[in-house]
Amino acid sequence: MDNARLWPILTVASALTLVCAVAAGVAASSAGFELTRGPTAAELKAAAQREVAQRWRTWEAGRVFPATPPYSAEQGGRERARRLGISPRTGCAEAVDAEAAPALADAGCRAVLRATYIDALRGVLVTVGVVALPDEARAVRAKAVFPAGGAPVPGLRPLAFRGTVADRFTPSVRQQGSVRQSGPYLVLTTAGQVDGRPARAAEQRPAVFAFATEISERILADLSRPRMPDCAAGEWQC
């Protein structure tokens, strides 16, 4: 092949080589940028949502259920409830009444964490239940099965502890219930009196159970409040 014919071929080949080199350089530059750039606002928000949704299993039990949460006393001022115990069981169906269990299952319930408290006057018991769901939409859907007006049924089953003042806290004792929702969590309460009297035999005094809702709202706020991700920390996935 003479030089006149070879030159166009070499020219095209050189041009293609240059194009490939430029493309490779651009790709490498883009990859380097992706590896070194900081997270976007959307990525930070997604990381914060993931962290919130995992708190039910990554937080220590005592962080989810504080030992002595404060509340507003019926007579005024501030008092503190005392935690009597935390259940090691987290099954969804066993923690609520049978009428409510299917709704939690349909919503993809991951766990129900329960703890029982007694008020400062040692006359009222309340079980608080944290229901962990996959996302906010399914939490809203599951909330609809629980009464909004304070009726305890269908609702959270009380958590009794043998050998304590809560050993008679059975389903028949329940007088008041509540449900609150934020993010992927529901927080339920069920309350009754320490002496074990059935609800039908007790004087109805809703005010004495108000502290239960106040405690549940604090627990829910702590669980569902997002915080700014720290991408350098091992607990975050940005």
Side-chain angles (χ1 to χ4, degrees):
M1 183 180 293
D2 59 31
N3 290 339
R5 293 181 180 179
L6 185 59
W7 178 251
I9 296 174
L10 293 176
T11 301
V12 171
S14 298
L16 289 175
T17 301
L18 179 61
V19 169
C20 291
V22 171
V26 171
S29 176
S30 297
F33 174 75
E34 284 297 314
L35 291 173
T36 58
R37 71 168 175 82
T40 65
E43 288 169 338
L44 288 173
K45 181 178 179 181
Q49 290 174 336
R50 285 194 299 270
E51 189 271 337
V52 166
Q54 295 299 318
R55 286 177 183 172
W56 68 270
R57 69 178 184 83
T58 58
W59 282 12
E60 294 181 356
R63 186 175 180 184
V64 176
F65 298 115
T68 57
Y71 66 91
S72 300
E74 185 181 3
Q75 302 82 8
R78 300 288 285 173
E79 292 182 334
R80 288 185 176 272
R82 183 167 66 88
R83 191 186 66 218
L84 299 177
I86 300 172
S87 175
R89 304 173 68 90
T90 61
C92 296
E94 66 188 73
V96 298
D97 292 317
E99 304 95 308
L104 292 190
D106 290 345
C109 179
R110 293 174 168 173
V112 179
L113 316 180
R114 287 186 296 166
T116 292
Y117 290 87
I118 190 169
D119 71 330
L121 297 179
R122 300 182 64 80
V124 176
L125 298 166
V126 56
T127 295
V128 181
V130 172
V131 183
L133 295 147
D135 52 50
E136 183 171 7
R138 279 181 273 194
V140 171
R141 189 170 72 203
K143 179 184 176 184
V145 75
F146 298 102
V153 180
L156 186 69
R157 294 180 64 81
L159 177 63
F161 290 96
R162 291 183 180 180
T164 73
V165 292
D167 61 359
R168 290 181 289 180
F169 196 20
T170 63
S172 65
V173 175
R174 294 178 291 180
Q175 296 184 45
Q176 190 82 304
S178 71
V179 56
R180 296 290 187 274
Q181 178 271 323
S182 182
Y185 295 105
L186 298 181
V187 175
L188 309 172
T189 67
T190 189
Q193 298 190 40
V194 171
D195 58 15
R197 73 183 75 176
R200 63 179 181 276
E203 178 186 357
Q204 299 303 305
R205 293 179 56 204
V208 302
F209 303 115
F211 83 101
T213 302
E214 188 174 344
I215 291 173
S216 76
E217 289 174 343
R218 171 180 172 161
I219 290 173
L220 179 61
D222 288 345
L223 271 173
S224 62
R225 185 185 299 115
R227 59 192 179 98
M228 183 61 66
D230 178 4
C231 295
E235 64 185 298
W236 292 98
Q237 293 180 356
C238 296

